[in-house]
Structures are given as structure tokens and as C-alpha cells.
């Protein structure tokens, strides 16, 4: 690990020299400065680590050379204080050295769809939508519905929401998969417990520069909206349906009043879906071992059960249960996200080779 730190420190110093020599190329200067700023937390932690190593080495040398009892006690006290500090610093630095998912800082496009269970599945999809928007509010993030297909009793066949906030993807990426609910439906007169499902797909919102979609790959149709929206929506062809010809993927948006706004929203969803397909291919090729531990995040994978009669929510990937179901449904999902994040980080550390290193 010390070699890795030394290499990064040299690179950091070189970036400082490059910044002084870049001249009037402001764009290149901004790129260099951003890279340098991104490295600063690691550099600060590395310097703290070096200082602690130097101090403990001095204390150990003092133990070998000193005869005064008081000085020996001080040296031993210094060692006892520094050893756990050094261990903590090593763990923090290892975590910082492991490459992060480049999408972690991005905003999120979340797609929630009713699964098996008819109207009850649609109602559960609406409950999940509320849960995630409440969680977003607690994080001071902003949520905006991009597209929805509602049923008359307050549920959703499908709802797509844009969640904007720093680090949104880093937290919500673990929510992809099949969510299962066990409860007595409001529509069930006999009082029997039903099991229904909804699927959640969490996509990183991407920009035009992140993925190139040639215009020749798109078929764009416009039509009159079938939903509410007043005379403007009904009289004009404002709804947009985009078909990605190579994959056959179709995205339709009709909730906005202008054709341009609907097209922009549809393209945003399409870019996110295509980017996710490419990322899934990359992950399956490079990180199969880690993904099998935490969970693939594929929509076919059952990840969590919400059991109303027992007031219990269980995440099956990590075996963690919460007996505060009402709180969870109001957005208190931090416990699950934090544990999944820690497990994920532990797996990334294990596969990075740090566990096999000898300092």
C-alpha cells in the first residue's frame, strides 16, 4: 500500500507543476485542477498516515534505547495510542484507493413497475414510489415524475421518476430488483394475505457526452396525448414515442405540454437505459465475483420483502430485517443502504488484492 500511496503523491505533485505551466489553456487547467482537487482527501489522509508511522517508529526506538521508567511509560503510551489510529488510517486509505463506480455522483432515473398481483401490485408500486421520494426529501434531493401510467384506485402500472442530488446513484443503486409485499389488500374482502411484487430499476442519468446515439438509430413518432392536460394537450400532437432500432427499446412520454419537452424526457430515459445495458455488460465481465456476493441488481432478482402482518422488512441479500415497516415506507431505508454499501466496499477491497498485502 505504501508504494501505491507514494505513486499517487508523486502524481499529485506533478499535477501541481503542470497547473503552473499550463498557460492560457483554461479548459486543460480546469481538468488538471479538478483531478488535483479530487486527490486532495487521499493526500491529506496519506500525510496523516506518514506522520503516525514516523511517530510510532520514534516511540519504538525510544523503548529500545531508553532506561528511564517515566520515558519508557510515555513511549509505550504513545504506541498504544498510535496502533489503533494507524489501523484505522490504513482501512480508510484502502477504501479510498479502491476505484469507485464512476456513476456514483450522478442523478438517478428510477423506474417502478407493478409485477404480479394485479391492482395490489400497482398499489404497492405507488407505495414504493412514495418511499423513495420520502427518502429523497430526507437527503435534500429533488424528485420529478418523468412518466406515469396510473390506475383508478391510486396505484401505478409504471412510474418513472428523476431524482437529482449529489451521490444519488451511490445510494439508490442497491434498490434495483424485485420487491415483494405480503399483506391483506384493500380490495380483498375475505381478509386473506396476498403476495404481490413490483420491480425497481435504478439507472444513472447520463448526458449526451456519456453515450452517443446516432440519429439513424432512432424512430420518432408524435401523437396526441391520451392523458389529462387540457385543450393544448388534446388538440396538438405533443406526445412522443422513440424507438431505438438496434435494440427495439421503446420510450414514450406524454405528460409535458410541449413536444420538445416530451422528446427531451424520452431521450433522457433512453440514454440511461442504453448506458445501463453497456455498464451491465462491463460489470458482468469484470466483477462477477463481487456481484454474486452483494447481488446483481438485475430486475429478476428478489431483493426485499415487506411483510405487513409481522411489521417486518427483510433484505434477502444481506439477511437484514427491520421491524419498523411504517418508518421504512416513509423513507427510512438508510439502514439497508448503509449495510449494502459496507458489504459492497468489503467485496471491492477483497477483490482489489489489499487483503493479501503485507505492509
Amino acid at each position: 500500500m505504501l508504494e501505491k500511496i507514494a505513486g499517487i503523491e508523486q502524481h499529485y505533485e506533478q499535477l501541481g507543476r503542470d497547473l503552473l505551466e499550463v498557460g492560457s489553456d483554461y479548459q486543460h487547467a480546469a481538468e488538471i485542477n479538478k483531478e488535483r482537487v479530487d486527490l486532495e482527501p487521499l493526500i491529506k489522509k496519506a500525510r496523516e498516515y506518514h506522520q503516525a508511522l514516523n511517530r510510532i517508529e520514534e516511540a519504538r526506538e525510544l523503548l529500545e534505547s531508553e532506561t528511564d521508567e517515566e520515558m519508557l511509560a510515555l513511549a509505550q503510551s504513545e504506541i498504544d495510542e498510535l496502533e489503533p489510529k494507524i489501523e484505522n488510517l490504513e482501512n480508510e486509505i484502502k477504501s479510498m484507493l479502491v476505484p469507485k463506480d464512476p456513476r456514483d455522483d450522478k442523478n438517478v432515473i428510477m423506474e417502478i413497475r407493478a409485477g404480479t398481483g394485479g391492482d395490489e401490485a400497482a398499489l404497492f408500486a405507488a407505495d414504493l414510489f412514495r418511499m423513495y421520494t420520502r427518502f429523497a426529501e430526507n437527503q435534500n434531493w429533488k424528485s420529478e415524475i418523468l412518466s406515469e401510467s396510473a390506475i383508478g384506485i391510486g396505484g401505478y402500472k409504471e412510474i418513472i421518476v428523476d431524482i437529482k442530488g449529489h451521490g444519488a446513484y451511490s445510494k439508490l443503486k442497491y434498490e434495483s430488483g424485485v420487491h415483494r409485499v405480503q399483506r391483506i389488500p384493500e380490495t380483498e374482502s375475505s381478509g386473506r394475505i396476498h403476495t404481490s411484487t413490483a420491480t425497481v430499476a435504478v439507472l444513472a442519468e447520463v448526458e449526451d457526452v456519456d453515450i452517443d446515439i446516432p440519429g439513424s438509430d432512432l424512430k420518432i413518432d408524435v401523437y396526441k396525448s391520451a392523458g389529462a392536460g387540457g385543450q393544448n394537450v388534446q388538440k396538438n400532437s405533443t406526445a412522443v414515442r422513440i424507438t431505438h432500432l438496434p435494440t427495439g427499446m421503446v420510450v414514450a412520454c406524454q405528460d409535458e405540454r410541449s413536444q420538445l419537452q416530451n422528446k427531451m424526457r424520452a431521450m433522457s430515459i433512453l440514454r440511461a437505459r442504453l448506458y445501463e445495458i453497456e455498464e451491465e455488460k462491463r460489470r458482468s465481465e469484470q466483477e462477477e465475483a463481487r456481484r454474486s456476493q452483494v447481488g446483481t441488481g438485475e430486475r429478476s432478482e428478489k431483493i426485499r420483502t415487506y411483510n405487513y402482518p409481522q411489521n417486518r422488512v427483510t433484505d434477502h441479500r444481506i439477511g437484514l430485517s427491520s421491524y419498523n415497516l411504517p418508518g421504512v415506507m416513509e423513507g427510512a431505508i438508510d439502514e439497508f443502504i448503509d449495510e449494502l454499501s459496507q458489504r459492497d466496499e468489503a467485496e471491492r477491497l477483497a477483490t482489489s488484492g489489499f487483503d493479501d498485502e503485507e505492509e
Side-chain angles (χ1 to χ4, degrees):
M1 190 175 76
L2 287 172
E3 291 183 3
K4 288 185 175 71
I5 292 174
I8 292 170
E9 287 175 323
Q10 291 174 8
H11 181 59
Y12 178 79
E13 296 301 328
Q14 183 60 52
L15 288 172
R17 292 190 290 270
D18 292 344
L19 197 58
L20 294 174
E21 300 171 0
V22 72
S24 59
D25 189 344
Y26 299 115
Q27 181 176 348
H28 187 42
E31 292 171 356
I32 294 173
N33 188 59
K34 183 182 183 304
E35 185 178 0
R36 200 166 187 270
V37 169
D38 289 343
L39 287 175
E40 282 178 358
L42 175 57
I43 296 300
K44 182 179 179 180
K45 196 66 65 175
R47 288 170 179 169
E48 189 178 349
Y49 180 57
H50 286 314
Q51 290 173 358
L53 289 178
N54 291 334
R55 285 174 58 194
I56 200 169
E57 182 63 27
E58 291 172 358
R60 286 169 177 164
E61 290 176 357
L62 194 61
L63 277 182
E64 295 177 0
S65 60
E66 187 59 60
T67 57
D68 182 80
E69 291 296 329
E70 185 176 349
M71 292 298 294
L72 288 171
L74 286 172
Q76 187 59 54
S77 175
E78 179 89 343
I79 292 170
D80 293 341
E81 177 188 341
L82 286 170
E83 282 180 341
K85 180 179 181 179
I86 289 172
E87 183 178 354
N88 289 336
L89 285 168
E90 286 176 350
N91 291 333
E92 291 178 26
I93 291 172
K94 285 177 181 178
S95 177
M96 296 170 82
L97 285 172
V98 174
K100 298 293 190 294
D101 189 327
R103 300 169 297 169
D104 276 352
D105 291 335
K106 291 184 178 292
N107 299 323
V108 158
I109 292 176
M110 177 176 282
E111 302 180 348
I112 305 172
R113 295 183 176 86
T116 57
D119 287 349
E120 170 64 6
L123 290 170
F124 180 48
D127 291 338
L128 291 176
F129 166 69
R130 175 185 172 85
M131 180 181 78
Y132 289 123
T133 52
R134 285 283 189 267
F135 176 74
E137 288 175 10
N138 294 338
Q139 306 295 315
N140 293 318
W141 298 341
K142 294 182 179 180
S143 302
E144 181 184 7
I145 295 174
L146 296 180
S147 176
E148 60 182 306
S149 177
I151 65 172
I153 58 174
Y156 293 106
K157 292 181 181 179
E158 175 189 86
I159 183 164
I160 303 175
V161 57
D162 187 21
I163 301 177
K164 295 185 181 295
H166 181 70
Y169 186 80
S170 69
K171 291 182 178 292
L172 291 174
K173 63 183 177 182
Y174 304 108
E175 296 302 299
S176 287
V178 176
H179 295 245
R180 181 175 67 175
V181 63
Q182 295 173 325
R183 64 185 179 188
I184 300 173
E186 297 177 9
T187 55
E188 177 59 52
S189 58
S190 63
R192 294 180 302 157
I193 296 174
H194 281 218
T195 298
S196 304
T197 64
T199 61
V200 175
V202 180
L203 313 174
E205 190 176 57
V206 296
E207 305 295 333
D208 292 343
V209 295
D210 294 321
I211 184 167
D212 179 42
I213 307 176
S216 58
D217 286 353
L218 302 177
K219 178 187 176 185
I220 301 177
D221 299 308
V222 295
Y223 54 98
K224 292 181 180 179
S225 171
Q231 292 182 336
N232 181 63
V233 173
Q234 294 169 356
K235 288 184 176 181
N236 299 307
S237 297
T238 58
V240 174
R241 179 172 53 246
I242 300 178
T243 304
H244 185 246
L245 299 175
T247 62
M249 188 180 296
V250 179
V251 181
C253 282
Q254 64 175 22
D255 297 329
E256 293 295 331
R257 287 181 173 270
S258 81
Q259 186 183 122
L260 177 59
Q261 288 175 313
N262 281 321
K263 181 180 178 182
M264 290 174 63
R265 285 192 167 190
M267 284 300 299
S268 178
I269 295 169
L270 178 62
R271 280 196 299 270
R273 289 182 183 176
L274 292 176
Y275 191 78
E276 177 65 18
I277 290 172
E278 293 303 314
E279 283 297 304
E280 184 64 28
K281 289 179 182 177
R282 183 184 65 82
R283 288 196 299 270
S284 64
E285 293 171 356
Q286 299 180 2
E287 304 175 12
E288 187 64 36
R290 181 179 66 82
R291 290 169 68 247
S292 65
Q293 295 294 323
V294 177
T296 63
E298 293 177 354
R299 296 181 218 186
S300 61
E301 180 183 0
K302 181 184 71 178
I303 65 167
R304 197 174 293 151
T305 295
Y306 304 75
N307 187 305
Y308 277 70
Q310 298 180 17
N311 191 37
R312 185 185 72 236
V313 183
T314 300
D315 195 292
H316 304 290
R317 296 164 293 181
I318 52 178
L320 177 64
S321 292
S322 167
Y323 289 87
N324 180 26
L325 189 147
V328 168
M329 301 312 294
E330 285 295 318
I333 57 176
D334 306 76
E335 181 181 8
F336 297 107
I337 290 174
D338 291 345
E339 182 64 25
L340 286 160
S341 180
Q342 290 174 17
R343 297 285 184 95
D344 188 21
E345 184 172 293
E347 289 302 321
R348 286 189 290 109
L349 282 171
T351 57
S352 69
F354 279 123
D355 286 359
D356 299 327
E357 288 186 356
E358 294 184 2
E359 301 298 340

